[in-house]
Amino acid sequence: MPEQFSSQRNLSVCCTYSTLLMQSFILFKKSHPAPGVQDAFKETGLIQTIRDAIAQQYRLCMFYCFQSRREHHARYAARYNMVVEPLCEGIPAVALLSRQNPLSSRRDIRLEDLPTRRLVTYENFEYEDWLGMLGIPPSANVLYIFDRGGLLDAVRKDNYMAVVMHDPQQQRELADCVTLPITGFSDTLDVCLMRSKSYTLNAREKKFVQFCKKRLQAAHEI
């Protein structure tokens, strides 16, 4: 069993790109100090997050996916003796734009218009998990970025548009950006926890999961 599974006082978490989850980790460490304990947190794309959890590089995997794809990921996880549990459901996907983008004055973005826009997205997602769900063909001219900072730079400095999970925390911090609803698209996003079926969370992990769950649900008024 990997060391991070046998030394069970620390947090060992990988997650998909999220300001809210990253800041939840920081806030939790401040409010629940554990002297002498080395916590681990990795923020990456959906593909790598799930791979890391299956390979037991991290004990807890927090990821978001479209609701219609959740069962697919649950079946895949079950093949490796992993379970998937929802933390927050029904979160909308939104278009993120700079206030300097001419489209920012619109009330919404139509789903059918997305393929014609300058889009930036995270590289580490399967086509079926993101662009395919949005009806964007593989041949579309899309800028692929591997980290959250790079994606935000493309939006803020070069007028790209990104489709992201609605994140009130991120929205408050990006005063130079706006988020617009996407009309004609009914699917929503779920944030889930994936872990080994045979692993029992330690006391600190249980508190952290509940901490994240409450912050997610409060942020989205669920």
Side-chain angles (χ1 to χ4, degrees):
M1 180 175 288
E3 182 179 352
Q4 62 264 37
F5 275 66
S6 58
S7 177
Q8 295 185 5
R9 290 186 58 213
N10 72 319
L11 296 176
S12 173
V13 184
C14 58
C15 81
T16 42
Y17 305 107
S18 168
T19 299
L20 196 151
L21 289 176
M22 179 73 236
Q23 294 191 6
S24 293
F25 174 73
I26 294 171
L27 290 172
F28 181 84
K29 282 173 61 65
K30 288 181 178 179
S31 60
H32 297 77
V37 172
Q38 184 66 46
D39 294 319
F41 187 92
K42 178 180 179 179
E43 187 184 40
T44 185
L46 180 57
I47 295 172
Q48 191 61 49
T49 300
I50 291 177
R51 283 178 180 171
D52 285 346
I54 289 173
Q56 298 187 351
Q57 297 299 310
Y58 294 85
R59 293 194 300 269
L60 304 182
C61 164
M62 293 182 173
F63 70 92
Y64 53 80
C65 66
F66 284 108
Q67 198 166 72
S68 59
R69 292 284 292 172
R70 192 171 104 189
E71 183 58 31
H72 164 80
H73 292 297
R75 289 195 303 268
Y76 182 78
R79 290 165 52 187
Y80 298 92
N81 197 38
M82 309 286 285
V83 293
V84 173
E85 307 162 354
L87 297 178
C88 189
E89 300 174 292
I91 304 170
V94 295
L96 177 69
L97 306 89
S98 165
R99 291 189 183 276
Q100 302 303 315
N101 191 313
L103 298 173
S104 65
S105 60
R106 292 191 173 194
R107 297 180 61 182
D108 54 46
I109 298 294
R110 297 190 306 173
L111 180 68
E112 58 265 33
D113 289 341
L114 287 179
T116 68
R117 305 304 179 192
R118 299 179 75 231
L119 297 175
V120 58
T121 192
Y122 293 121
E123 181 178 15
N124 202 244
F125 280 72
E126 295 285 359
Y127 173 77
E128 294 80 4
D129 278 318
W130 204 255
L131 296 183
M133 292 295 302
L134 298 166
I136 300 168
S139 59
N141 186 15
V142 177
L143 176 63
Y144 292 92
I145 297 292
F146 202 77
D147 66 276
R148 182 156 48 93
L151 181 138
L152 294 178
D153 281 347
V155 169
R156 300 167 83 178
K157 304 300 182 181
D158 202 15
N159 280 347
Y160 277 89
M161 179 193 300
V163 176
V164 298
M165 180 177 71
H166 177 53
D167 187 335
Q169 181 66 41
Q170 183 181 74
Q171 189 172 343
R172 284 192 292 270
E173 295 179 5
L174 296 177
D176 56 346
C177 292
V178 297
T179 57
L180 300 178
I182 300 171
T183 59
F185 186 65
S186 60
D187 210 341
T188 56
L189 291 154
D190 294 345
V191 179
C192 300
L193 171 70
M194 187 168 76
R195 60 174 177 80
S196 172
K197 188 181 298 185
S198 60
Y199 177 66
T200 301
L201 275 65
N202 65 42
R204 193 155 175 259
E205 287 171 331
K206 290 178 182 178
K207 290 179 181 178
F208 176 67
V209 169
Q210 288 304 310
F211 185 82
C212 290
K213 189 172 183 177
K214 287 180 180 179
R215 293 197 80 229
L216 282 164
Q217 295 181 348
H220 298 97
E221 299 180 351
I222 296 173

